């Protein structure tokens, strides 16, 4: 235990800085993925042509390893946070998009018809019927994306964007097991905490269903 105690006693500020960078990078990437993925997911349910095109594009992008995207972006965007955000956002969009589309497709037609028969216009039907029913699926996509992003953000350290990946790479280069373990466990803890927080938020939003 002494190596771990020594690390935190002498590098606590550096460690907290890496955790902060990791969280910031992950948060921005997931937010961008939601902003892009949810509207495109909804669009796929309204147009078959758009569905085929969008699904093909994002499915193709998803099979490209994140590290490969990072390397390809270096000549265009240089190093740092910008290329990391692009690569991680590309990774996060598919689960958000796919689950959003699935959620809206699961809305029963008769529920929409009943809402219209009650005098609701299309905007109200969307906000009060379709979106609440699709929301659990959207949240599942967001949780999946968040988990993938937090884990994959370690690769971003390869191009100088910071985060806990720095600690892991230092552990590899310096042959220090404690660095690897601290970095790996920290990423795992962040993933678990993130999922718990998102799950709690989902329950609060959907508490009316209880």
């Amino acid at each position: 235990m002494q190596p771990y105690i020594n690390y935190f006693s002498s590098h606590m500020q550096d460690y907290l800085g890496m955790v902060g960078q990791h969280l910031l990078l992950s948060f921005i990437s997931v937010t961008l993925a939601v902003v892009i993925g949810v509207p495109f997911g909804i669009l796929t349910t309204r147009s078959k042509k758009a569905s085929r095109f969008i699904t093909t594009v994002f499915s193709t992008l998803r099979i490209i390893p994140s590290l490969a995207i990072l390397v390809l972006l270096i000549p265009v965007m240089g190093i740092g946070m910008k290329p990391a955000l692009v690569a991680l956002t590309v990774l996060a969009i598919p689960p958000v998009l796919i689950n959003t589309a699935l959620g809206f497709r699961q809305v029963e037609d008769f529920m929409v018809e009943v809402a219209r028969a009650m005098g609701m216009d299309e905007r109200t039907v969307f906000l009060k019927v379709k979106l609440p029913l699709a929301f659990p699926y959207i949240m599942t996509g967001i949780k999946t994306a968040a988990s993938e992003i937090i884990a994959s953000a370690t690769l971003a350290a390869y191009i100088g964007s910071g985060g806990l990946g720095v600690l892991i790479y230092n552990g590899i280069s310096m042959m220090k097991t404690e660095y690897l373990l601290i970095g790996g466990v920290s990423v795992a803890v962040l993933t678990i905490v993130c999922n718990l927080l998102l799950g709690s938020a989902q329950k609060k939003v959907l508490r009316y269903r209880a």
Side-chain angles (χ1 to χ4, degrees):
M1 289 294 295
Q2 193 59 43
Y4 302 96
I5 295 173
N6 291 339
Y7 174 81
F8 284 111
S9 63
S10 59
H11 297 89
M12 178 59 76
Q13 188 172 353
D14 293 335
Y15 173 76
L16 293 177
M18 286 184 283
V19 171
Q21 289 173 338
H22 203 95
L23 288 173
L24 178 63
L25 185 61
S26 300
F27 176 77
I28 296 175
S29 299
V30 173
T31 301
L32 290 173
V34 172
V35 170
I36 297 171
V38 171
F40 275 105
I42 296 171
L43 181 60
T44 61
T45 65
R46 298 182 176 180
S47 169
K48 289 184 178 180
K49 289 183 178 180
S51 177
R52 286 194 295 269
F53 176 75
I54 294 170
T55 302
T56 300
V57 169
F58 284 106
S59 296
T60 302
L61 289 174
R62 195 179 189 190
I63 65 176
I64 303 174
S66 299
L67 184 58
I69 297 176
L70 287 171
V71 173
L72 291 172
L73 288 174
I74 290 175
V76 179
M77 305 182 70
I79 61 174
M81 183 170 282
K82 288 183 179 180
L85 284 174
V86 173
L88 293 174
T89 301
V90 168
L91 174 68
I93 288 174
V96 176
L97 186 153
I98 291 169
N99 280 276
T100 298
L102 177 62
F104 277 90
R105 288 194 179 103
Q106 293 299 314
V107 177
E108 298 288 348
D109 290 338
F110 82 88
M111 300 187 74
V112 176
E113 293 302 324
V114 169
R116 287 171 178 162
M118 293 173 62
M120 294 185 185
D121 57 23
E122 289 302 318
R123 182 174 180 275
T124 306
V125 169
F126 176 82
L127 293 175
K128 292 191 174 181
V129 179
K130 293 182 178 181
L131 185 59
L133 291 174
F135 185 75
Y137 294 90
I138 297 173
M139 283 301 300
T140 297
I142 294 174
K143 286 189 286 186
T144 301
S147 297
E148 293 182 0
I149 288 301
I150 292 173
S152 299
T154 55
L155 297 174
Y158 178 78
I159 58 170
S161 66
L164 290 166
V166 173
L167 188 57
I168 295 173
Y169 285 126
N170 286 344
I172 295 173
S173 62
M174 300 168 65
M175 299 295 289
K176 289 196 173 185
T177 306
E178 64 268 25
Y179 284 19
L180 291 170
L181 190 57
I182 292 170
V185 171
S186 297
V187 171
V189 170
L190 288 180
T191 303
I192 293 170
V193 171
C194 179
N195 273 280
L196 290 174
L197 290 175
L198 288 173
S200 177
Q202 180 177 350
K203 287 180 181 179
K204 287 183 179 180
V205 172
L206 300 176
R207 61 185 180 275
Y208 63 87
R209 289 190 175 188

